[in-house]
Amino acid sequence: MPIPPCAPDRVRRVACIGAGVIGGGWVAHFLARGYDVTAWDPAPDAETKLRRLVDAAWPALEQIGLAEGASPDRLTLAATLEEAVADAEFVQESAPEKLELKRSLLAQLDAAAPAGVVIASSTSGYPMTDMQTEATDPGRLLVGHPFNPPYLIPLVEVAGGEKTDPAAVEWASAFYKAAAKSVITMDRELPGFIANRLQEALWREALHMVANGEATVKDIDDSITEGPGLRWAFMGPCLTFALAGGDGGMGHMLDHFGPSLKSPWTRLEAPELDDSLRTAMVDGCDEAAAGRSIAQLVAERDQGVINVLRATGRLPEQRNEGGDK
Amino acid sequence: MPIPPCAPDRVRRVACIGAGVIGGGWVAHFLARGYDVTAWDPAPDAETKLRRLVDAAWPALEQIGLAEGASPDRLTLAATLEEAVADAEFVQESAPEKLELKRSLLAQLDAAAPAGVVIASSTSGYPMTDMQTEATDPGRLLVGHPFNPPYLIPLVEVAGGEKTDPAAVEWASAFYKAAAKSVITMDRELPGFIANRLQEALWREALHMVANGEATVKDIDDSITEGPGLRWAFMGPCLTFALAGGDGGMGHMLDHFGPSLKSPWTRLEAPELDDSLRTAMVDGCDEAAAGRSIAQLVAERDQGVINVLRATGRLPEQRNEGGDK
């Protein structure tokens, strides 16, 4: 693949292909960050819906703070795919999740986009290796997987396929960072990437529970928002569980709760908790702690939970309702 | 079982058995809500550790707002289990997760506690049916499963065993609510209850990924805190996913992403997405939406994410770093 025509932090013009919930969310994000955005979507009412989505998102984006010169007026709807990408310095594809569609669409985009311009797919789970089969220059095709809504949730997972040029992966990661996203660059293709594998495991367990009458939709949602979800907004599942180990951290937690991995607490079989996995988890948590003691982490977690409780309206001004005192 | 000796909202004296991370967290919670708390733990340094935990938690609890008269001075350490529960109006057991230990401890507590007083176990996953086998009055034994730290995370899952009196389950649910907890009362025993089944599925997938070198601890934690975790602090996984379906909500989401359930996005096999499950999910989300339109829910989600981003320090005052505008 030729060298991308501009540096990741010099991009001004982005093309968004597909303008549904995710594609439209990307449009809103790039507009708010001050880019010129050209969008294309074959649906007859695409423009109306897209402008409505951007208008609905704009007040939120104003709250966050717009980039200088950012405006919904910098959105152009293109009549054709070719027109949409003709001047683009980056292309984000967010078509429906159909492998054949993605394959041919990416080949069309590759044929139409200026040489060297990186083309990212928002796919929720297809590996790029399976999608880049029909393109002439597969080296510039990669996955840039966002979360809904892309204009507010920072995460983008970046992963190339077998034929993707590592330089394109590096360029895209730098571009997304410049566009105010939080990037995880993967060194391999993994179905569902990382966050979706995690939330999909949770989601499948939830579906099983509803299917078997073990819990209602409300139980499931409440169990997360009133429980682990309050911690996960700022501290991930690994570091959170490390704090369940008291002063012993992740090591003690694994030794104490390790036997539970044999229990049928979910339909997902656990891996063998051997020395190598134990070490990887303990070392990973030590690294994440970056010198902070367990006591410091506990204090940070506590303040974080309080901040989230307050931010989500769950700390009334007066809270003296406990007991009958 | 005799009728509990006092109404759930008239409880003044609570006994906490086991004073580790969870037991100590319960102590801090009950103290902050204005109860007299008697604790017992056989470890030689239990009192020192417990008072340190309470002292460390207290500033957080002051921020939330203490119940009238609440004070760390209302904590008493008992010399024996019998002394700890002698005057208790409610008993919370938080011993290590060992089935035999739990069985004999609950039998001892049942023998020592005043007639009718409800005894709850903090167990992370044992069904009460398996733990109440040695007690004389198993009717008053039930699970009251908290989340770490119990003094900040609202959720408690309440579930009885086969021999538990439904009146005890009802009483405990009302008591926890009076003690400012958020309660899910389960109508059956399910290994891991609800929230732990969900987070355990996610956790096991995470362990598999680390074991196979597919992701690091940091990747996993970042993928949640920068992604789905921001939504789960205030909107559960079901309602969140409904919004991925655009105007079509959960129904459209299931039709669109349903085929992904066949993909290897996690090691957990998905259930069959038949009409009955589809209907249960759609109806459950409609019920959760309680008349709010998709557009209203999207606006609420957006404001929620912004509030959480701000509360967790991820919205700098100036955010004009996007692109090179």
Side-chain angles (χ1 to χ4, degrees):
Chain A
M1 118 188 199
I3 287 167
C6 78
D9 59 351
R10 305 286 297 176
V11 171
R12 290 175 155 277
R13 292 185 304 280
V14 170
C16 290
I17 304 301
V21 171
I22 294 298
W26 272 121
V27 168
H29 177 74
F30 288 126
L31 287 171
R33 302 274 56 83
Y35 295 92
D36 290 313
V37 179
T38 305
W40 176 76
D41 188 301
D45 58 348
E47 176 157 6
T48 311
K49 278 195 173 172
L50 175 55
R51 294 205 184 268
R52 204 166 62 197
L53 188 156
V54 171
D55 288 346
W58 209 254
L61 294 165
E62 284 177 328
Q63 272 193 71
I64 288 185
L66 300 171
E68 206 180 316
S71 165
D73 297 339
R74 291 172 66 186
L75 168 62
T76 308
L77 270 286
T80 63
L81 173 150
E82 288 73 18
E83 187 188 317
V85 302
D87 288 333
E89 293 163 330
F90 176 75
V91 179
Q92 183 79 38
E93 171 273 309
S94 311
E97 288 292 295
K98 291 171 185 160
L99 184 55
E100 281 308 322
L101 173 66
K102 295 265 194 197
R103 269 185 190 150
S104 66
L105 188 60
L106 288 168
Q108 278 181 273
L109 291 171
D110 175 44
V117 161
V118 171
I119 301 169
S121 173
S122 298
T123 181
S124 307
Y126 291 124
M128 183 46 79
T129 297
D130 293 349
M131 295 191 293
Q132 67 192 168
T133 50
E134 295 173 18
T136 305
D137 179 12
R140 59 166 156 179
L141 301 179
L142 47 77
V143 170
H145 176 237
F147 288 77
N148 196 31
Y151 53 86
L152 289 179
I153 303 290
L155 186 62
V156 180
E157 293 168 318
V158 178
E162 278 171 24
K163 295 189 175 163
T164 304
D165 187 333
V169 172
E170 195 182 330
W171 188 95
S173 297
F175 164 71
Y176 283 127
K177 281 175 196 160
K181 301 300 285 185
S182 179
V183 178
I184 295 182
T185 307
M186 298 178 65
D187 63 1
R188 71 183 72 194
E189 291 187 292
L190 190 62
F193 316 114
I194 296 176
N196 263 359
R197 286 191 78 86
L198 298 170
Q199 72 169 349
E200 182 77 8
L202 186 152
W203 173 241
R204 289 184 186 188
E205 185 65 32
L207 290 177
H208 276 295
M209 289 167 80
V210 172
N212 288 331
E214 295 163 351
T216 65
V217 166
K218 180 175 162 42
D219 289 339
I220 286 162
D221 276 3
D222 287 351
S223 78
I224 296 297
T225 58
E226 298 293 304
L230 290 167
R231 306 180 299 209
W232 287 337
F234 62 92
M235 189 176 275
C238 300
L239 205 51
T240 296
F241 271 11
L243 300 189
D247 292 339
M250 177 55 70
H252 181 69
M253 184 273 177
L254 290 173
D255 298 338
H256 185 66
F257 287 103
S260 304
L261 289 173
K262 307 290 184 196
S263 302
W265 280 13
T266 154
R267 287 161 178 91
L268 178 53
E269 292 290 323
E272 196 58 42
L273 185 58
D274 56 17
D275 282 353
S276 153
L277 177 54
R278 187 184 185 283
T279 301
M281 296 306 298
V282 171
D283 288 356
C285 283
D286 283 351
E287 204 175 313
R292 290 169 293 178
S293 68
I294 293 284
Q296 282 173 303
L297 289 169
V298 165
E300 281 183 33
R301 178 203 60 196
D302 284 6
Q303 192 58 55
V305 172
I306 288 172
N307 293 344
V308 169
L309 285 170
R310 189 167 284 142
T312 51
R314 281 177 281 190
L315 284 188
E317 292 304 300
Q318 291 281 16
R319 179 119 184 216
N320 296 338
E321 73 280 34
D324 66 335
K325 277 64 56 186
Chain B
M1 122 188 197
I3 287 167
C6 78
D9 60 351
R10 305 286 297 176
V11 170
R12 291 175 154 275
R13 291 185 305 278
V14 170
C16 290
I17 304 302
V21 171
I22 294 297
W26 272 121
V27 167
H29 177 74
F30 287 126
L31 287 171
R33 301 273 57 83
Y35 295 92
D36 290 313
V37 179
T38 306
W40 176 76
D41 189 300
D45 58 349
E47 175 156 8
T48 310
K49 280 195 170 174
L50 175 56
R51 293 203 184 269
R52 204 167 62 198
L53 188 157
V54 171
D55 288 347
W58 208 255
L61 293 164
E62 283 176 328
Q63 273 193 70
I64 290 186
L66 301 171
E68 205 180 319
S71 165
D73 298 339
R74 291 171 64 185
L75 168 61
T76 309
L77 271 286
T80 63
L81 174 151
E82 288 72 18
E83 187 187 317
V85 302
D87 287 332
E89 291 161 331
F90 175 75
V91 179
Q92 183 79 38
E93 170 273 310
S94 311
E97 287 292 296
K98 290 172 187 160
L99 185 56
E100 280 308 321
L101 172 66
K102 294 266 193 196
R103 269 185 190 148
S104 67
L105 188 60
L106 288 168
Q108 277 180 276
L109 290 171
D110 174 45
V117 161
V118 170
I119 301 169
S121 172
S122 297
T123 181
S124 309
Y126 291 125
M128 183 45 79
T129 296
D130 293 350
M131 296 191 293
Q132 67 193 167
T133 50
E134 295 173 19
T136 306
D137 179 11
R140 59 164 155 177
L141 300 179
L142 47 80
V143 170
H145 175 238
F147 289 76
N148 195 33
Y151 53 86
L152 289 179
I153 303 290
L155 186 62
V156 180
E157 293 167 317
V158 178
E162 277 171 26
K163 293 188 177 165
T164 303
D165 187 332
V169 171
E170 194 182 333
W171 189 96
S173 297
F175 164 71
Y176 283 127
K177 282 176 196 161
K181 302 300 285 185
S182 178
V183 178
I184 295 182
T185 306
M186 300 178 65
D187 63 1
R188 69 184 73 192
E189 291 187 290
L190 189 62
F193 316 115
I194 295 176
N196 263 358
R197 286 191 79 86
L198 297 170
Q199 73 168 347
E200 182 77 8
L202 186 153
W203 173 240
R204 289 183 185 189
E205 186 64 32
L207 289 176
H208 277 294
M209 290 168 79
V210 172
N212 289 331
E214 295 164 350
T216 64
V217 166
K218 178 174 163 42
D219 289 338
I220 285 161
D221 276 3
D222 286 352
S223 78
I224 297 297
T225 58
E226 299 293 304
L230 290 167
R231 306 179 299 209
W232 287 337
F234 62 91
M235 189 177 276
C238 300
L239 204 51
T240 295
F241 271 11
L243 300 188
D247 292 338
M250 176 55 71
H252 181 68
M253 184 274 174
L254 290 173
D255 298 338
H256 185 67
F257 287 104
S260 304
L261 289 173
K262 306 293 182 194
S263 303
W265 281 12
T266 153
R267 288 161 176 89
L268 179 52
E269 293 290 322
E272 196 57 43
L273 185 57
D274 57 16
D275 282 353
S276 152
L277 177 53
R278 188 183 184 282
T279 302
M281 295 307 297
V282 170
D283 289 356
C285 283
D286 283 349
E287 203 175 314
R292 290 169 294 177
S293 68
I294 294 285
Q296 282 172 304
L297 290 169
V298 165
E300 281 182 33
R301 178 204 60 197
D302 285 6
Q303 193 57 56
V305 172
I306 290 173
N307 293 344
V308 168
L309 285 169
R310 189 165 282 141
T312 52
R314 282 177 281 190
L315 285 188
E317 290 305 300
Q318 290 282 16
R319 177 119 184 217
N320 296 339
E321 73 279 33
D324 65 335
K325 279 63 55 188

